[in-house]
Amino acid sequence: MTRRLTLLGLALLVVPALVRGLWFYQGVYWRRSPVSTPEYASFTVPLPPLSTAEAPAARNASPGAHVLVDQSHANNFLAAELEPLLREVSAHGGQVEFLTSSDSGSLATRLAAATALVVAAPNAPFMRDEVQRIEAFVGRGGRVLVLTDPTRGSPQYDSYYSDTSTPLDDSSAANTLLAPFEITVADDYLYNLNENEGNFRNVLLTHFAASPLTADLGRVAFYAAHSIASPTGLALIYADENTLTSRTDRGGDLAAAVLAANERVLVIGDLTFLAPPYDHVADNARWISNLASFLLGGEPSRAPTDFPYIFSGPVVVQALGELEMSTDLITALSSLQSALDESGLALTISESPKATANRIVLATYADQEELSPFLGGFEIGLPGADGDPLGTGELQLPGWRTLDASAVGLMLVARNEGQTTLTLIGADASALIELISALATHDFSMCIGQEGIAACATGPADLASLDFAFADNDFTALDGGLP
């Protein structure tokens, strides 16, 4: 019985396998011809055109070129992504500095030392006072480069406990800065389905306006770019009819880079082209070199409120006429030394400094003959003597009525071929000490000024007495930063 059950079990195990094998078995396979395979050696991978970085060319950087990179507005980029551009700036003598939200110095303070500002992919709006500072900076000749990118937005959550979020595009934050310059960055991206750099959002641009910024450019590649509009600016780089905007799926002279504000503000709709390896695609390397030249060309005029950043090297104090370097005056100057120390600048006193030296000149209104070389271009009428257009004790500033010189001190900033001269003029040594104190403490609450000039109430005078002296609106009250 047991044997029979064992044989039956083996049969149930073997017979089904044998039947399946015989049913599906079709004999031994013999390959009669080789299996055809693709000719891999003949394949070519489509690659974008590459440009080779050129040796740094001679470039005339403005004296003391100082590029400030903003990272205080939730900027969505890494410093390494700007490395090709900032390396070009540094190679030609420019100084690069980053401003983060944790830094003690405000944007207004740091702009005083800068000649150019770079804002990349901001995700936090600019406050009104910041916009005013930047607008004044551009008005004085500073350069601003704004880089936006459709891929650099950040999620905005409806509430702390909510999982619902909406994307916040960097164009919204950038537009809070660009409104005074009549530039608008669209919340879109450009794309081209016919010709692109491997992806429909990687657009190749070949249309350029005539400008030093577009010199020697034949084609640049942008990797997702906003379109930019400006009724008064120059469309520096613009797309062909096959490049469309994602907002309307329409094309037609869409600008990807705009130059405005007397060629001092440049806005670009892409940031990725700066980062390796994209910086070597098409003519991007040459384009980046041109951008470095743009940043290095900024040379804003300086105001007394920019002290100590008006100087880029050692400073010499020179007293004119019969002014005596008293103990009180030297003590006041020591406070200026502390301010200059923060910028790494030395302060010395000399009766006859070199003609090329940066100087702080101290003088009274009585030193008219010695002051004459330092007043060129300011159109200032000093207190005159009998027979002069101005009577004794009267002071005339451009756009002002006649002032009482005994109640007013002047600060004048002049730059000439890299040399900066700050001239302080008062009725006497006590007035000069008040002017020095205002500089050292950066307290210009008693001053009114215009480009390169600050007039400060000294002695018993007050700001209202100066304000009453206006003949037009050329002068504005100073609050420590606005010239």
Side-chain angles (χ1 to χ4, degrees), residues 247-406:
R247 297 194 69 180
T248 62
D249 293 325
R250 294 182 178 179
D253 296 335
L254 296 168
V258 166
L259 186 63
N262 294 321
E263 300 185 353
R264 296 172 183 171
V265 177
L266 174 61
V267 185
I268 304 175
D270 180 40
L271 170 62
T272 309
F273 77 90
L274 284 172
Y278 311 109
D279 59 323
H280 281 75
V281 174
D283 291 329
N284 284 4
R286 189 172 290 112
W287 166 232
I288 292 171
S289 178
N290 292 349
L291 292 180
S293 298
F294 170 78
L295 295 175
L296 291 170
E299 191 172 4
S301 58
R302 295 301 188 183
T305 50
D306 293 329
F307 181 86
Y309 305 109
I310 56 177
F311 298 111
S312 58
V315 182
V316 177
V317 176
Q318 179 183 7
L320 300 183
E322 300 299 323
L323 181 65
E324 181 182 353
M325 295 299 292
S326 65
T327 302
D328 291 340
L329 196 55
I330 293 175
T331 301
L333 288 172
S334 66
S335 62
L336 289 187
Q337 176 64 75
S338 299
L340 290 167
D341 283 342
E342 296 179 1
S343 300
L345 303 177
L347 181 68
T348 58
I349 299 176
S350 175
E351 294 183 358
S352 54
K354 294 181 179 179
T356 58
N358 294 316
R359 282 183 268 190
I360 296 177
V361 176
L362 306 178
T364 64
Y365 293 119
D367 304 317
Q368 292 195 31
E369 184 176 348
E370 294 86 349
L371 270 173
S372 179
F374 303 99
L375 300 180
F378 286 107
E379 299 180 2
I380 295 175
L382 294 180
D386 294 339
D388 289 338
L390 292 176
T392 302
E394 293 182 337
L395 175 67
Q396 181 71 61
L397 301 180
W400 282 33
R401 300 182 181 94
T402 302
L403 298 174
D404 179 4
S406 65

Side-chain angles (χ1 to χ4, degrees), residues 29-255:
Y29 172 72
W30 298 95
R31 188 173 65 190
R32 298 182 179 179
S33 60
V35 177
S36 60
T37 58
E39 296 183 8
Y40 295 105
S42 65
F43 283 7
T44 58
V45 179
L47 295 174
L50 300 179
S51 63
T52 302
E54 300 176 348
R59 188 175 289 129
N60 294 323
S62 62
H66 187 126
V67 178
L68 179 65
V69 182
D70 176 43
Q71 282 188 312
S72 63
H73 291 85
N75 306 76
N76 191 3
F77 73 94
L78 299 176
E81 294 179 287
L82 301 185
E83 192 270 338
L85 173 62
L86 301 184
R87 183 179 63 239
E88 281 277 332
V89 171
S90 299
H92 298 284
Q95 181 181 353
V96 177
E97 182 182 13
F98 285 82
L99 171 65
T100 66
S101 55
S102 61
D103 288 344
S104 57
S106 65
L107 177 63
T109 302
R110 303 289 277 276
L111 274 180
T115 58
L117 172 67
V118 177
V119 178
N123 277 253
F126 285 78
M127 298 297 101
R128 181 179 180 182
D129 64 317
E130 293 178 318
V131 175
Q132 290 175 338
R133 304 286 184 173
I134 295 173
E135 190 176 8
F137 172 72
V138 172
R140 301 200 324 260
R143 302 282 178 91
V144 175
L145 170 62
V146 179
L147 300 157
T148 60
D149 196 305
T151 66
R152 303 304 177 104
S154 61
Q156 181 80 20
Y157 288 91
D158 296 339
S159 68
Y160 182 81
Y161 297 101
S162 174
D163 292 333
T164 304
S165 66
T166 55
L168 178 66
D169 194 87
D170 68 341
S171 62
S172 301
N175 286 334
T176 62
L177 166 62
L178 298 173
F181 306 111
E182 298 184 308
I183 304 174
T184 303
V185 180
D187 182 8
D188 68 347
Y189 63 84
L190 300 178
Y191 69 93
N192 190 320
L193 300 176
N194 296 334
E195 183 181 10
N196 52 64
E197 202 278 276
N199 182 287
F200 68 100
R201 294 201 309 177
N202 301 343
V203 293
L204 296 170
L205 302 168
T206 58
H207 296 293
F208 307 98
S211 167
L213 276 162
T214 57
D216 301 321
L217 297 184
R219 176 162 59 173
V220 296
F222 283 0
Y223 296 82
H226 288 297
S227 64
I228 306 168
S230 175
T232 57
L234 173 67
L236 198 65
I237 301 179
Y238 52 97
D240 59 20
E241 65 278 1
N242 294 321
T243 300
L244 314 178
T245 169
S246 62
R247 297 194 69 180
T248 62
D249 293 325
R250 294 182 178 179
D253 296 335
L254 296 168

